[in-house]
Amino acid sequence: MTQVKNTATTSDTTPSSTPNVHGPEGAPNAARPDIKSLHGWLHTARFLTTAPQLEHLPTLDVPEVAFVGRSNAGKSTCINTLTQQKRLAFASKTPGRTQSINLFSLGKQGQTDAVLADLPGYGYAAVPREAKLRWQRVMGNYLMTRENLKAVVLLCDPRLGLTELDEILLDVIRPRVQSGLKFVILLTKSDKLTRAEANKALSIAKLQCGGGEARLFSALKKQGLDEMALLLWDWTHGEAVAPLEQAPAVAEEDEPPALD
């Protein structure tokens, strides 16, 4: 399988220097860049590969951050806004039809020090049940067994709040969150709420995040971009990837929790 190796050096850096990945002991070896440099780092995002099944994913030795959420939660828009690219993450005209994991590498000067994983949206009723079940197995196994997975961003429309489907996903990742997996509920489309509504939605999400964090985000108003840039850097350049507990993969013949 393909491996993306960390080629960053361990030399001292200034806040505006090229990002370095953490060393083998898990300790940061670079000061956090300033916010302008962080956005520049995110802008280096480039397509790495797409995988319809887990066996098609490359084995990587750099931290990976997964973006997940219901169809129409604004996942593709969020990724494109964070990376300042219009079509990096492709939004299908038919929600729920995209059924592959797309990986994007981050790193200046052709290096790769982190990877973003765009997981297909779930919960769209028009998708055939067989396709839903297949994707549920892929997504469940990915979240439970992906060794370099460092963090999960769950995108949620604050006008709907966390749905039953989101709660199911939280149950899947809870053991890994308890073992150190980073997690944030990102309330997208917050520009559609009044300030009072946004504060209420954020307060509720903070109660529901179960060991994680909650943030407001608006691609239109550019709200939350700096905060997410800081989180993504700290997640991928801070502590080592949390050790993976031996969780059983979801067998092909087993029916996973229904995400429909």
Side-chain angles (χ1 to χ4, degrees), residues 25-196:
E25 300 303 321
N29 59 18
R32 179 197 283 170
D34 59 34
I35 194 63
K36 182 178 179 180
S37 296
L38 287 179
H39 288 303
W41 170 66
L42 286 173
H43 188 54
T44 66
R46 52 207 178 270
F47 177 77
L48 179 61
T49 190
T50 185
Q53 298 288 351
L54 291 186
E55 57 265 29
H56 298 144
L57 283 174
T59 299
L60 305 177
D61 61 359
V62 294
E64 193 162 294
V65 178
F67 286 72
V68 300
R70 285 177 55 89
S71 299
N72 291 330
K75 182 163 51 61
S76 297
T77 299
C78 174
I79 294 174
N80 289 337
T81 302
L82 286 170
T83 60
Q84 309 118 65
Q85 301 186 41
K86 292 183 178 180
R87 292 181 62 83
L88 180 69
F90 178 72
S92 174
K93 294 181 180 179
T94 305
R97 290 296 184 184
T98 304
Q99 296 289 293
S100 295
I101 298 173
N102 294 316
L103 299 184
F104 309 106
S105 58
L106 291 170
K108 293 185 176 181
Q109 299 177 349
Q111 301 176 357
T112 294
D113 55 18
V115 169
L116 304 181
D118 181 13
L119 277 64
Y122 51 82
Y124 193 67
V127 177
R129 180 171 176 80
E130 181 179 348
K132 290 178 184 177
L133 294 178
R134 184 195 67 79
W135 171 240
Q136 287 165 222
R137 286 189 289 267
V138 173
M139 183 166 66
N141 284 335
Y142 169 87
L143 293 171
M144 289 190 294
T145 66
R146 184 68 168 165
E147 293 187 5
N148 66 317
L149 181 63
K150 182 65 181 288
V152 173
V153 180
L154 172 59
L155 292 99
C156 172
D157 187 331
R159 296 169 297 178
L160 300 176
L162 287 184
T163 66
E164 183 180 358
L165 306 182
D166 299 318
E167 294 287 357
I168 291 173
L169 186 141
L170 289 179
D171 286 339
V172 170
I173 67 172
R174 183 166 288 113
R176 293 196 70 178
V177 172
Q178 293 172 346
S179 297
L181 182 74
K182 305 301 182 182
F183 171 69
V184 65
I185 297 175
L186 198 60
L187 301 175
T188 60
K189 308 178 184 180
S190 61
D191 55 278
K192 298 184 181 296
L193 303 178
T194 65
R195 178 174 297 183

Side-chain angles (χ1 to χ4, degrees), residues 202-215:
L202 183 60
S203 297
I204 293 173
K206 286 181 177 179
L207 294 174
Q208 296 173 315
C209 63
E213 303 182 58
R215 295 282 190 276

Side-chain angles (χ1 to χ4, degrees), residues 231-248:
L231 273 182
L232 290 169
W233 173 268
D234 288 346
W235 285 343
T236 55
H237 294 74
E239 298 174 357
V241 176
L244 182 65
E245 294 185 354
Q246 294 300 315

